[in-house]
Amino acid sequence: MSTTVVSRLARATLSAARRSAALRVRGYAAAAGELKKTGLYDFHVENGAKMVPFAGYSMPLAYGAVGAVASHNHVRESVGLFDVGHMMQTNFRGATATQFLEWLTPSSLAALEPYHSTLSVLLNEKGGIIDDTVITKHAQDAFYVVTNAGRRDRDLPWFQQRLEEWNASERGKAGKVELEVLEDWGLLALQGPEAANYLQKFTPYDLKQLTFGKSAFVPIEGFHLHVARGGYTGEDGFEISIPPGQTVEVAKLLSQDPVWLTGLGARDSLRLEAGMCLYGSDLDEDTTPVEAGLTWVIGKDRRERADFIGAEGVLKHLKEGPPRRRIGLLVEGAPARQGAKILEPNSGEQLGVVTSGQPSPTLGKNIAMGYIKHGWHKKGTEVAVEVRNKARQAVLAPLPFYKPRFYRG
Amino acid sequence: MFGALRAASRPGFPALRAARTAPVTSNSRFLARTIVTKKFTSDHEAVIFDSDSKLGTVTITNYAQSSLGDVVFVELPVVGTEVEQGDQIGAVESVKAASDIYAPISGVVEAVNEQLNSQPGLLNKSPEGDGWLCKIKVADEAELEKLMTEDAYKKHCEES
């Protein structure tokens, strides 16, 4: 397994296996230094969590004796609660906030309805992905943005520097933009087909109105919380932002029967089945959204105006086709994991590399995501994947492996 | 037991072997008890050595299976392969991670547990029994001395 790519989830998973002293597990070097804690650290420990280093935080990998597969299946069949409070939550406010964020991303934010969210990407000057992010518009002049914890040290200076530049420029004259990081706020993800029934018990707000991609401030047992419908598992669910000091109480409220506390291990297998990218594994600064199969996040009007950072590189890939593409694989026999080479089955020529992979609890097959040379990317194409120096049969499969069951009303 | 039966069908060998082995077997081959020794590695493999057959049955430990979680694939060595103590001889894949299996002892691989190809879950159900990995014809019994006793292994698990 590759140690060069910093893979947040894979790293956590491997480290846990290693720390719990299973057999020698390949390829993980423990991260040194002080780990940060979310407001739920003690709550996790009290609930028997195996805590592991992840994106600079000590995070729960799994709880008690609940296995990775059982935990995964519970989210697919019922409902699980995830602490995602390590992620960076930021508000952008100001008269030109829409234009500012349209400079930083290729999304059509002017056209986005208030209290709607969209997946987006922060792009560097070459069109490479600095981070993937979910942007929620509250108004033309107010946005709520969630970015990855593992990219905080890259994202925050990037935001601050571009903001300074923007506010000093002609474009910013119409109204400065301010950034506020929601330090120490909690973020909980309630995920699974039973999530809505469960949450509805605690609020008079009719959650049927809140379809996938929408958000609202919802009264929940005396709390007033920002709730966004969506998530990172392929199931219906909610991401709930919580002011500091209230997180533990809300977590207790949201973790009663039939909810199971669910850790990073299940989160990784759930998102992989749902075909969702993990930054650091499946996305990096040398990958454009076109290569990553995220062309759909680029607004049509944005392509024409080409006024976002990195537009040139992105438009080149759009026009000429990308040199490689993100694809799905089903692998026979041994599971292919991050770093496994994708090979031409006869000549053994390398065609690409696996960026995420593991046995799928839902499908009972070995699934993987990776990048392959343009031209080899059609589904059904037979390739080989190298695991422990042996070529294994694999076939390109459409993404997602598991069709998301979002609530669209 | 089976070792004794097999020995009986091959006259000539038992006497020679008896002479070379531990004092308990020196008197009569047929009255002697088979000595089964179980030793552990720090990497959570176990080897169950049968003094009659000279076969070491290689397994992962119960501790290892519970740490790994649901095993979905087992890669086994090829029968006839000569292995050195510490060589990588296979791998166990769980949903969580891939883990290498190292030979706890040197020798020639005499048999592998083909059942694991269709039922990798045996490793979780019965890691030190039905979920055995392979049998190695042990080349040098002295190597067993380098491995941990059950007590030492228990201590090792508690400390890790």
Side-chain angles (χ1 to χ4, degrees):
Chain A
M1 237 164 262
S2 164
T3 51
T4 52
V5 181
V6 179
S7 150
R8 294 170 296 142
L9 274 172
R11 219 163 75 154
T13 310
L14 286 180
S15 87
R18 208 173 96 129
R19 283 153 49 101
S20 63
L23 286 74
R24 275 183 225 168
V25 176
R26 283 182 205 94
Y28 168 77
E34 191 71 6
L35 292 171
K36 288 185 269 188
K37 294 171 180 176
T38 72
L40 290 175
Y41 178 86
D42 293 339
F43 173 80
H44 297 314
V45 172
E46 282 160 23
N47 282 282
K50 257 180 242 165
M51 303 300 287
V52 297
F54 178 75
Y57 282 79
S58 177
M59 296 300 290
L61 178 77
Y63 294 83
V66 180
V69 173
S71 186
H72 175 110
N73 290 342
H74 191 76
V75 175
R76 288 268 177 265
E77 289 156 14
S78 183
V79 51
L81 186 72
F82 302 81
D83 178 14
V84 285
H86 58 309
M87 297 185 86
M88 187 165 81
Q89 304 178 65
T90 311
N91 280 325
F92 289 90
R93 291 199 195 88
T96 58
T98 303
Q99 293 85 336
F100 172 69
L101 289 173
E102 284 203 342
W103 182 43
L104 262 56
T105 73
S107 299
S108 296
L109 300 173
L112 191 66
E113 297 277 327
Y115 285 90
H116 279 71
S117 305
T118 182
L119 177 71
S120 188
V121 285
L122 301 173
L123 298 176
N124 63 26
E125 293 85 348
K126 293 182 298 180
I129 300 171
I130 295 173
D131 203 357
D132 57 343
T133 174
V134 173
I135 299 178
T136 303
K137 181 179 185 174
H138 290 149
Q140 285 293 119
D141 60 356
F143 289 83
Y144 163 70
V145 175
V146 179
T147 47
N148 284 303
R151 296 298 283 167
R152 185 188 169 105
D153 293 347
R154 172 72 168 118
D155 294 343
L156 191 52
W158 177 259
F159 283 146
Q160 286 163 336
Q161 285 157 16
R162 297 292 81 74
L163 200 68
E164 217 168 284
E165 212 179 307
W166 178 266
N167 285 338
S169 75
E170 270 309 303
R171 293 172 293 185
K173 287 259 164 69
K176 289 195 168 146
V177 179
E178 291 174 353
L179 163 162
E180 178 200 7
V181 179
L182 299 176
E183 297 290 6
D184 302 319
W185 280 55
L187 192 61
L188 286 170
L190 188 70
Q191 300 280 300
E194 289 299 321
N197 286 338
Y198 183 83
L199 189 60
Q200 190 66 74
K201 290 193 291 189
F202 303 109
T203 177
Y205 182 97
D206 181 11
L207 292 171
K208 287 203 181 72
Q209 298 170 35
L210 199 70
T211 51
F212 176 76
K214 278 195 190 178
S215 60
F217 283 94
V218 175
I220 297 173
E221 293 276 296
F223 301 102
H224 190 64
L225 306 173
H226 186 266
V227 176
R229 197 148 196 168
Y232 193 52
T233 60
E235 296 300 332
D236 180 25
F238 305 89
E239 291 191 337
I240 303 162
S241 178
I242 308 155
Q246 301 178 2
T247 317
V248 174
E249 273 182 87
V250 176
K252 282 180 181 165
L253 188 70
L254 297 183
S255 56
Q256 310 301 313
D257 186 66
V259 181
W260 285 10
L261 294 172
T262 315
L264 292 171
R267 188 165 163 81
D268 196 34
S269 50
L270 289 160
R271 69 91 195 168
L272 180 60
E273 286 182 352
M276 295 169 174
C277 293
L278 174 64
Y279 196 92
S281 293
D282 310 309
L283 304 174
D284 60 31
E285 292 220 30
D286 295 319
T287 303
T288 69
V290 184
E291 290 172 307
L294 298 174
T295 302
W296 63 272
V297 309
I298 307 166
K300 278 223 176 92
D301 59 317
R302 306 304 316 283
R303 295 179 205 188
E304 283 152 25
R305 299 211 312 272
D307 55 355
F308 54 90
I309 296 171
E312 199 186 327
V314 169
L315 293 178
K316 185 168 180 279
H317 278 183
L318 271 178
K319 200 174 151 202
E320 297 170 10
R324 59 193 184 118
R325 291 176 186 264
R326 182 167 65 95
I327 47 96
L329 287 169
L330 295 174
V331 184
E332 288 294 320
R337 301 181 196 261
Q338 188 184 38
K341 289 175 187 163
I342 304 171
L343 309 172
E344 204 281 323
N346 301 313
S347 72
E349 177 207 348
Q350 189 173 352
L351 301 172
V353 66
V354 168
T355 51
S356 290
Q358 67 173 171
S360 156
T362 309
L363 279 72
K365 291 175 183 170
N366 300 320
I367 58 172
M369 227 188 246
Y371 284 84
I372 200 164
K373 263 189 197 174
H374 179 87
W376 286 86
H377 62 279
K378 294 218 170 61
K379 66 179 175 187
T381 303
E382 286 177 15
V383 294
V385 175
E386 194 177 280
V387 180
R388 288 183 290 277
N389 298 317
K390 255 194 249 172
R392 325 271 171 160
Q393 281 183 13
V395 62
L396 269 69
L399 291 171
F401 299 103
Y402 175 85
K403 192 171 174 277
R405 299 197 289 175
F406 301 137
Y407 174 72
R408 297 186 191 273
Chain B
M1 189 61 202
F2 292 108
L5 283 172
R6 204 160 36 190
S9 68
R10 284 185 293 168
F13 280 96
L16 275 174
R17 226 172 17 188
R20 278 185 297 148
T21 49
V24 277
T25 58
S26 63
N27 198 0
S28 161
R29 189 75 191 84
F30 298 99
L31 295 175
R33 298 238 310 273
T34 300
I35 298 171
V36 175
T37 320
K38 189 167 183 180
K39 289 294 192 78
F40 298 83
T41 72
S42 55
D43 293 317
H44 308 280
E45 292 102 6
V47 55
I48 303 156
F49 177 69
D50 181 309
S51 64
D52 269 356
S53 64
K54 306 291 175 199
L55 284 178
T57 303
V58 180
T59 79
I60 66 168
T61 65
N62 186 49
Y63 182 87
Q65 74 76 21
S66 82
S67 303
L68 280 167
D70 312 272
V71 171
V72 295
F73 182 78
V74 185
E75 193 120 54
L76 297 165
V78 175
V79 171
T81 311
E82 206 176 324
V83 299
E84 294 277 330
Q85 193 174 35
D87 282 358
Q88 193 206 321
I89 54 167
V92 175
E93 300 262 9
S94 72
V95 170
K96 279 195 225 173
S99 302
D100 292 332
I101 302 164
Y102 299 91
I105 197 144
S106 306
V108 176
V109 178
E110 292 261 303
V112 297
N113 187 357
E114 304 278 359
Q115 254 194 308
L116 294 176
N117 294 329
S118 55
Q119 296 176 65
L122 278 177
L123 240 65
N124 294 112
K125 277 183 215 139
S126 177
E128 298 175 38
D130 292 346
W132 62 277
L133 301 166
C134 64
K135 293 184 197 287
I136 293 176
K137 189 82 172 180
V138 175
D140 178 9
E141 287 174 45
E143 280 183 353
L144 286 165
E145 300 305 317
K146 298 184 206 162
L147 302 175
M148 283 184 243
T149 61
E150 187 147 14
D151 285 346
Y153 176 69
K154 266 188 194 154
K155 221 170 158 193
H156 169 69
C157 291
E158 282 160 14
E159 283 163 6
S160 56

